[in-house]
Amino acid sequence: AKHTEQHEGRLYNIPLEEVKAVFPHGLPHRFQQQIQTFNEARVMVRKPALELLAYLKGSNFAHPAVRYVIYGERGTGKTMTLCHVVHYCSRQGWLVVHVPDAHLWVKNCKELFQSSYNRDRLDQPLQASVWLKNFKTSNERFLQEIKTQKKYMWGKRESTEEGRPLREVVEQGLARVRSASDAVGVVLRELKQQSHRGSFRLLVAVDGVNALWGQTTLRKEDKSPVSPEELTLVHNLRKMVMNDWNGGAIVTTLSQTGSLFKPSSAYTPQELLGKEGFDTLDPFVPIPVPNYSPREFESCYGYYLERKWLQHEKAHTEDGKAELQFLSGSNPRQLERLAGPL
Amino acid sequence: SSPAALAPCRIMPVRWSRYNPSYLEPEVRKESYQKPLEELTEEEREQAELKAVRPIKAAPPTLSSSVFSDPMISKFTNMMMKSGNKVLARSLMSQTLEAIKRKQLEKYHKAPENEKETIECNPYVIFHQALKNCQPIIGLSNITKGGKTYQVPVPLTDNRKRFLAMKWLITECRENKHRRTMMPEKLSQELLLAFNNEGPVIKKKHVLHKMAEANRAYAHFRWW
């Protein structure tokens, strides 16, 4: 649907083909289940998203990229706001670099190799190859147009010449899994250097950005802990998030649910990013995401009734609605969990 | 265990709590508190006066004032519970109901127009109907006469029927499943099969009926 604003509280429909093309990775798991059950993807238009879209529309692309940090308590819809913005930008024709959850890169990694490019750093071939595959599906046409500006050597024999389309770098990363993290680094560097020319707009969307500056649960072979700088993927992503390039925007989300070694009541940027992260991200625009307002709650409740998701007889009554509102505290995640068995 | 103000007795109550007869039952329904004074009848006015004076018993954990509470569902959840972990049992129950709802809704959306009304999407209706279909009508009991034990067909009370149905369902789901399938998934499958009068639990009920029919001759051994 054409993105018309001033429609706060309403739900808009995304056609299923677009969902597969724009979001190969990035939608929350429960939302994907909901898409499958209802056969359609409906996202609610809320104030924080409208604010962000207004800023993006009015932003001047000659200036350095502005950083937006979406924060809020658990389950208030930060990831969904990010997905809304990503969909809008891909509709407008921007190139989207979408990292679904940076926490996946700093924990539960089965294979860590020493990077060939730089002795100190560690590679993560699995996560890098998964990300490259999803990046390819979401940004097909840009990969043909953008050309590399430098010659890159992958090991002793393979190399990518200057002026070849970026698609070849991505294919190289997918084919040679060992050098996948370096391929990711190359892609990000090329995009950053070429974005100021103005042929395309670049949106960097990172979910769970507090993973880049926290601690990791990974260990090296001699059981010493790994700090995030030593991972190639994290290092390259940090360079993207710095605002020394222009021609686009950076939208990030804080997330407590995947974060490591942080208390569950922490939700402000100061607590979750830590001192280092906060200083690096320093001039940013904070966007708080609150719980549902009464109007949004009514709209969500009406949607569930219409799609026959609330099947219990008492759920259709006023008492049932009041009880749902009280039990969930207008929190979107709690409402969804409560409405499941009902 | 036992609360204050016991009636004077020499035996200490161990399992069921014994209250002084002056304690009243807790009242949970919201409607009874919202009636103004004029609408109450004589007895209700006496009750209200008593409530102001007498102490009230503690509410048991199964009693709830929510409109969504269902006694059968809570009984089933208690039977599924292991070592007092009610949180886990309740979450498994809600995941089961959600799984049933998702499967039925997917079927509903794919079905053609004329079949849409026949598909039942309400997980509670499916649960109750499935349990009703699983309840045996007649049971067997062991009676010893002249040194030998006979399986005698015997009528069952409602409580016993409900208990047997729930017990069979839970044991079936715990034992006959693949190591990796989760309980909500298996339970939702079994409930949907029982709703359509198919499945291993219904088969067990039929086997019991056949045994009772086969042992009809011993029915006169029953003396109650």
Side-chain angles (χ1 to χ4, degrees):
Chain A
K2 193 92 201 293
H3 289 249
T4 46
E5 278 60 38
Q6 281 87 45
H7 280 193
E8 191 197 318
R10 301 245 211 105
L11 298 129
Y12 81 92
N13 210 343
I14 312 182
L16 283 173
E17 300 81 26
E18 276 195 40
V19 166
K20 268 191 228 144
V22 175
F23 297 116
H25 57 178
L27 291 173
H29 181 62
R30 281 198 74 96
F31 190 68
Q32 280 169 353
Q33 279 180 331
Q34 193 180 331
I35 295 180
Q36 214 194 1
T37 316
F38 295 162
N39 252 354
E40 61 176 10
R42 280 254 162 126
V43 178
M44 192 185 277
V45 176
R46 296 179 72 193
K47 252 210 201 99
L50 289 175
E51 219 182 294
L52 246 186
L53 293 178
Y55 290 152
L56 283 177
K57 271 193 221 170
S59 57
N60 186 349
F61 293 111
H63 293 169
V66 187
R67 290 187 278 223
Y68 304 95
V69 172
I70 307 176
Y71 71 99
E73 303 219 336
R74 276 170 88 165
T76 48
K78 307 183 277 279
T79 315
M80 290 310 291
T81 324
L82 192 72
C83 293
H84 186 153
V85 172
V86 162
H87 183 237
Y88 172 80
C89 292
S90 63
R91 263 298 184 90
Q92 300 279 313
W94 294 33
L95 201 163
V96 172
V97 171
H98 185 37
V99 176
D101 196 355
H103 293 296
L104 296 172
W105 289 356
V106 298
K107 53 180 178 176
N108 299 342
C109 179
K110 300 277 166 67
E111 299 173 2
L112 269 183
F113 295 123
Q114 216 183 19
S115 161
S116 51
Y117 181 70
N118 187 341
R119 277 294 129 184
D120 300 327
R121 298 204 214 127
L122 296 161
D123 256 2
Q124 283 158 306
L126 287 170
Q127 278 96 339
S129 52
V130 159
W131 187 82
L132 276 175
K133 205 164 68 177
N134 290 326
F135 183 67
K136 206 168 95 164
T137 31
S138 59
N139 292 314
E140 287 280 358
R141 59 193 178 91
F142 283 111
L143 293 176
Q144 280 301 118
E145 294 165 2
I146 304 173
K147 312 280 182 215
T148 56
Q149 281 176 336
K150 217 177 92 166
K151 187 172 158 186
Y152 295 106
M153 299 287 297
W154 312 109
K156 286 190 195 149
R157 278 167 229 163
E158 291 126 8
S159 67
T160 311
E161 302 294 323
E162 202 177 312
R164 309 290 295 161
L166 254 191
R167 186 192 210 97
E168 294 207 1
V169 177
V170 174
E171 310 262 311
Q172 175 74 36
L174 283 172
R176 293 256 171 280
V177 180
R178 281 234 161 189
S179 53
S181 330
D182 292 326
V184 170
V186 164
V187 161
L188 292 180
R189 176 199 282 188
E190 286 300 317
L191 291 173
K192 200 162 147 179
Q193 281 170 348
Q194 296 187 13
S195 66
H196 68 90
R197 277 206 228 135
S199 53
F200 61 88
R201 304 270 168 75
L202 183 61
L203 175 77
V204 179
V206 184
D207 198 342
V209 77
N210 44 336
L212 300 179
W213 287 283
Q215 294 161 300
T216 66
T217 40
L218 307 172
R219 287 183 179 250
K220 289 188 264 215
E221 274 158 9
D222 50 351
K223 309 271 181 157
S224 60
V226 173
S227 80
E229 291 96 35
E230 296 177 26
L231 294 167
T232 11
L233 289 171
V234 172
H235 185 88
N236 292 324
L237 203 56
R238 278 196 203 183
K239 283 196 263 182
M240 281 309 271
V241 163
M242 301 290 289
N243 58 353
D244 46 2
W245 51 278
N246 51 10
I250 307 174
V251 183
T252 65
T253 313
L254 293 180
S255 161
Q256 197 284 324
T257 33
S259 71
L260 300 159
F261 309 107
K262 289 276 182 305
S264 62
S265 55
Y267 72 95
T268 54
Q270 180 76 24
E271 290 164 340
L272 281 175
L273 286 173
K275 190 166 180 314
E276 207 188 310
F278 198 82
D279 289 333
T280 335
L281 273 187
D282 204 351
F284 65 80
V285 178
I287 300 184
V289 179
N291 282 329
Y292 277 156
S293 68
R295 205 174 140 199
E296 285 169 347
F297 178 82
E298 305 249 341
S299 135
C300 193
Y301 177 77
Y303 175 60
Y304 284 150
L305 279 182
E306 188 214 319
R307 299 303 292 172
K308 299 190 198 292
W309 185 237
L310 290 173
Q311 284 276 333
H312 195 129
E313 314 83 42
K314 292 287 174 66
H316 300 276
T317 59
E318 282 299 315
D319 276 342
K321 186 168 158 189
E323 187 162 333
L324 272 179
Q325 185 161 17
F326 174 69
L327 282 177
S328 65
S330 298
N331 187 311
R333 179 188 284 175
Q334 287 302 323
L335 178 62
E336 213 220 315
R337 295 219 154 205
L338 282 172
L342 283 177
Chain B
S1 51
S2 55
L6 279 178
C9 58
R10 271 172 292 157
I11 314 164
M12 268 315 282
V14 172
R15 196 169 291 147
W16 292 277
S17 60
R18 278 182 57 166
Y19 281 98
N20 195 344
S22 65
Y23 275 65
L24 303 171
E25 298 287 330
E27 174 68 56
V28 181
R29 295 172 305 138
K30 275 186 264 197
E31 297 86 33
S32 59
Y33 291 114
Q34 279 157 359
K35 276 192 200 167
L37 260 177
E38 294 76 27
E39 281 182 30
L40 301 178
T41 59
E42 285 298 322
E43 308 150 353
E44 285 177 346
R45 272 179 226 218
E46 283 175 30
Q47 285 279 344
E49 277 173 24
L50 265 184
K51 273 205 173 164
V53 184
R54 296 281 185 87
I56 306 188
K57 295 186 196 178
T62 43
L63 194 62
S64 124
S65 69
S66 152
V67 289
F68 302 123
S69 62
D70 187 359
M72 285 268 256
I73 299 263
S74 24
K75 199 54 138 183
F76 195 78
T77 334
N78 287 344
M79 286 182 69
M80 267 213 294
M81 172 166 64
K82 276 189 180 175
S83 46
N85 197 348
K86 181 91 131 211
V87 173
L88 186 61
R90 202 177 134 126
S91 75
L92 285 177
M93 193 72 217
S94 50
Q95 279 169 39
T96 315
L97 292 170
E98 197 179 329
I100 297 178
K101 207 191 336 180
R102 270 189 211 273
K103 285 185 193 171
Q104 290 297 96
L105 271 179
E106 275 174 25
K107 251 196 331 200
Y108 180 87
H109 285 302
K110 284 189 192 140
E113 282 302 324
N114 49 353
E115 281 179 24
K116 278 201 173 172
E117 279 140 22
T118 51
I119 298 181
E120 179 60 58
C121 287
N122 192 340
Y124 293 86
V125 162
I126 293 184
F127 179 77
H128 287 274
Q129 187 59 41
L131 275 189
K132 226 193 276 182
N133 290 352
C134 287
Q135 283 177 8
I137 306 175
I138 194 169
L140 292 172
S141 93
N142 301 350
I143 294 191
T144 325
K145 192 148 178 173
K148 285 211 287 190
T149 358
Y150 299 98
Q151 299 272 351
V152 176
V154 123
L156 298 171
T157 56
D158 270 337
N159 278 340
R160 179 79 187 153
K161 287 183 199 168
R162 274 190 285 256
F163 172 77
L164 277 177
M166 291 201 246
K167 184 85 180 170
W168 287 342
L169 211 43
I170 295 180
T171 33
E172 161 68 38
C173 288
R174 278 185 187 159
E175 275 147 40
N176 293 357
K177 66 178 170 82
H178 182 64
R179 182 182 63 93
R180 293 274 297 210
T181 36
M182 298 286 127
M183 177 74 163
E185 205 186 296
K186 174 77 178 170
L187 234 193
S188 57
Q189 265 173 27
E190 291 300 324
L191 281 171
L192 283 169
L193 287 174
F195 178 69
N196 297 329
N197 272 322
E198 300 151 353
V201 193
I202 301 285
K203 220 168 133 188
K204 192 158 177 177
K205 174 184 91 153
H206 288 324
V207 159
L208 184 65
H209 284 178
K210 282 198 192 113
M211 284 278 288
E213 183 63 31
N215 286 6
R216 265 177 74 167
Y218 301 129
H220 63 278
F221 281 170
R222 183 173 62 95
W223 61 84
W224 59 90

